[in-house]
């Protein structure tokens, strides 16, 4: 999942078969940094019960975050609509050029 630099993202981690490990936090959810490096900061968050009815804050994930920095998202590929517009512009340009040559 590509993430743009300088933005804050939230993730919900939920398991139906195993218990997830967490630690009680000591700061403010969404503010206090739990771990960081030159590319990424992991902040304290909020835990919830299985039905998402009760929130417990702050919480810290006891686990591992794996990521690969510096991979740009794939470049956008022109859609058929964009290709059609480019082809139409080329054809109109060629027609205008041909028409102007005939008038001389």
């Amino acid at each position: 999942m590509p993430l743009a630099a300088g933005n804050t993202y939230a993730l919900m981690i939920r398991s139906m078969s195993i218990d997830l490990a967490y630690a009680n936090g000591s700061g403010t959810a969404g503010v206090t940094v739990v771990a960081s490096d030159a590319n990424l900061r992991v902040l304290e968050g909020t835990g919830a019960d299985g039905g998402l009815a009760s929130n417990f804050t702050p919480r810290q994930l006891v686990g591992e975050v794996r990521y690969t920095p510096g991979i740009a998202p794939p470049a956008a590929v022109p859609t058929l609509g964009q290709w059609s517009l480019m082809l139409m512009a080329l054809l109109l340009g060629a027609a205008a050029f041909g028409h102007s040559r005939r008038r001389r």
Side-chain angles (χ1 to χ4, degrees):
M1 152 172 98
L3 304 176
N7 293 326
T8 300
Y9 297 90
L11 301 174
M12 178 178 170
I13 302 169
R14 186 172 184 185
S15 173
M16 303 304 262
S17 60
I18 62 170
D19 289 333
L20 298 172
Y22 69 89
N24 291 327
S26 59
T28 303
V31 176
T32 304
V33 177
V34 176
S36 67
D37 66 13
N39 303 296
L40 181 72
R41 292 184 314 147
V42 177
L43 307 177
E44 286 186 339
T46 299
D49 66 5
L52 302 177
S54 300
N55 291 327
F56 307 97
T57 187
R59 292 293 190 256
Q60 298 176 355
L61 172 69
V62 175
E64 186 175 313
V65 176
R66 294 184 187 186
Y67 72 98
T68 304
I71 295 179
V77 176
T79 64
L80 182 59
Q82 291 170 322
W83 283 111
S84 299
L85 286 174
M86 288 187 280
L87 180 60
M88 185 173 65
L90 179 63
L91 289 174
L92 284 173
F97 179 76
H99 182 70
S100 69
R101 301 264 310 173
R102 274 190 249 145
R103 293 186 102 189
R104 289 184 182 174

